[in-house]
Amino acid sequence: MRIERGFTLIELIVVIAVLAILVTTAVPGFNRFVAHERRVSTVMSLVHALNLARSRAISSGRYVAVCPSVDSRTCAGDESQWDAGWLVFINLDPESPPEIDEGERVLLRHGPVEDVLEVTANREGFNFRPRSIRSTAGSLFVCTRNHHNEAIIISYTGRVRTSARYDGEPVACD
């Protein structure tokens, strides 16, 4: 007697149906997870850049600026361009909004963020000043399509914090 191995057509259809159900329930959750991780990664990259600027201003005794950049070489000069990337540089002539001039050393370049994010600010750039002198205060807003938005708030002392609320309300993006 010969023993046949394999699946019957009905067994194969049942396995494919179960697999289809599992995939359709897992994919939306995975998409939410990816969007969440992109937002967290962008927020942490911005917090890192701002903290780097603050610490370098204090340690070097010079002004250090953070500005949006679309080409990783110059400041964009527009508060709505932050999702195209940003720069951290030593600002020898502490102009506001900050602009990179000849001889000013770039400390950090960050390229564009994923297209599901929008990063805006209420400033064209941030100047961090040495020796506890008042710095440029303001906020950056990281927004996602699923409305899990976050604010990065910079105080006059240069302290950086994040929050899901801004002015007592959930962060709203236009």
Side-chain angles (χ1 to χ4, degrees):
M1 178 190 264
R2 194 170 133 194
I3 300 175
E4 304 231 2
R5 295 181 184 198
F7 297 106
T8 65
L9 182 60
I10 293 180
E11 290 172 330
L12 184 63
I13 290 172
V14 168
V15 168
I16 290 173
V18 168
L19 187 62
I21 291 169
L22 290 175
V23 167
T24 56
T25 57
V27 167
F30 182 72
N31 288 340
R32 282 191 299 274
F33 172 75
V34 168
H36 169 76
E37 291 305 311
R38 285 182 179 157
R39 178 180 53 83
V40 168
S41 174
T42 300
V43 168
M44 290 298 105
S45 294
L46 278 163
V47 167
H48 167 72
L50 295 164
N51 283 328
L52 172 68
R54 181 182 186 211
S55 68
R56 277 299 181 94
I58 293 168
S59 66
S60 69
R62 297 177 179 246
Y63 285 71
V64 178
V66 182
C67 69
S69 178
V70 293
D71 62 3
S72 294
R73 291 188 316 269
T74 60
C75 292
D78 183 358
E79 62 268 0
S80 65
Q81 294 286 319
W82 288 86
D83 50 359
W86 52 86
L87 298 169
V88 178
F89 64 97
I90 295 175
N91 196 4
L92 297 175
D93 56 342
E95 58 212 356
S96 187
E99 285 294 326
I100 296 180
D101 298 318
E102 191 69 33
E104 293 180 334
R105 193 172 111 221
V106 176
L107 303 173
L108 176 78
R109 298 174 202 272
H110 193 286
V113 295
E114 295 293 329
D115 61 350
V116 299
L117 296 172
E118 177 184 66
V119 183
T120 59
N122 59 5
R123 300 278 184 273
E124 294 178 6
F126 298 92
N127 269 317
F128 290 86
R129 299 176 177 137
R131 296 179 296 280
S132 301
I133 302 171
R134 182 176 160 168
S135 295
T136 306
S139 300
L140 291 138
F141 306 98
V142 178
C143 305
T144 61
R145 290 185 182 152
N146 60 3
H147 306 291
H148 293 285
N149 307 324
E150 198 158 353
I152 302 168
I153 302 161
I154 302 110
S155 71
Y156 283 117
T157 62
R159 182 178 162 262
V160 179
R161 67 182 176 93
T162 62
S163 177
R165 301 181 75 73
Y166 187 74
D167 286 340
E169 299 291 326
V171 175
C173 298
D174 298 330

